[in-house]
Amino acid sequence: NSSIVGFGANHFGQISIPTGLGAITGVAAGAWGSNNLALRSDGTVVAWGGNNGGETPVPSGLNSVVQVSAGGSYGLALKADGTVVTWGSSQCQCAVPSGLQNVVAVSGGGGQNLALKSDGSVSAWGENNWGQWIVPAGLTNVVAIAAGGYHNLALKADSTVVAWGRNEHGRATVPTGLTNVVAIAAGGSQSHALK
């Protein structure tokens, strides 16, 4: 069995790992809401920690999950059939766009969500204070996504990165000449690329 170790602040029980989780295949830690998700090998999800917007009670009957992501006070689950389930905060980030399907990856940020589709396109929804769910025109051939604090990153098949949304401190300004990227990560006010 896999095990999860929590460390850091424990104001809302976010590092108090529930017992009896069994075999875990994925884990996600939320930003603003201190919520956490664990994906069990049987495709079910366990949530714990902060519950500011109803993010810790997992929807009844949620199964066949292949990936989880924790956003700010909400959770996302990608199901094996390519659909997405969200729960938690009653704000717009939990309203999955109508007809969203063929999803292969999800990422929850501060208040916005990204979905990578099997055709290499990206869908975004949620808060849009900084244009974070306005996907750049012509963005195609995407292989990975990362939603951060009000900004987003997309890794393309040619190993280049596209960024959009809030650009305070340059978090959405991709360095000139950045190539050969194999992984990306978006934080609260920073971005990272692994070459």
Side-chain angles (χ1 to χ4, degrees):
N1 284 345
S2 303
S3 63
I4 301 171
V5 176
F7 50 96
N10 198 30
H11 304 294
F12 304 100
Q14 63 265 43
I15 65 168
S16 300
I17 312 302
T19 58
L21 290 178
I24 302 298
T25 61
V27 65
W32 320 127
S34 302
N35 54 311
N36 304 287
L37 301 173
L39 175 59
R40 290 176 166 152
S41 61
D42 67 358
T44 61
V45 177
V46 176
W48 71 96
N51 192 29
N52 298 328
E55 62 269 32
T56 54
V58 175
S60 177
L62 180 62
N63 57 35
S64 301
V65 175
V66 295
Q67 186 207 346
V68 291
S69 183
S73 299
Y74 60 96
L76 293 95
L78 172 60
K79 297 189 67 168
D81 65 1
T83 61
V84 178
V85 175
T86 61
W87 67 96
S89 177
S90 60
Q91 297 177 14
C92 56
Q93 60 263 32
C94 282
V96 177
S98 177
L100 181 63
Q101 56 188 1
N102 300 319
V103 176
V104 296
V106 292
S107 183
Q112 81 281 4
N113 301 304
L114 298 178
L116 175 59
K117 298 177 72 175
S118 59
D119 64 0
S121 66
V122 176
S123 292
W125 70 97
E127 292 180 1
N128 195 37
N129 304 352
W130 305 94
Q132 61 266 43
W133 60 260
I134 300 173
V135 177
L139 180 62
T140 59
N141 299 317
V142 175
V143 296
I145 51 175
Y150 311 116
H151 72 292
N152 302 308
L153 304 175
L155 175 60
K156 297 185 66 173
D158 65 1
S159 301
T160 61
V161 177
V162 175
W164 69 98
R166 188 173 185 177
N167 197 28
E168 183 182 26
H169 308 298
R171 69 184 94 174
T173 300
V174 178
T176 303
L178 179 64
T179 59
N180 300 317
V181 176
V182 296
I184 52 176
S189 59
Q190 77 279 8
S191 298
H192 297 281
L194 175 64
K195 295 186 70 173

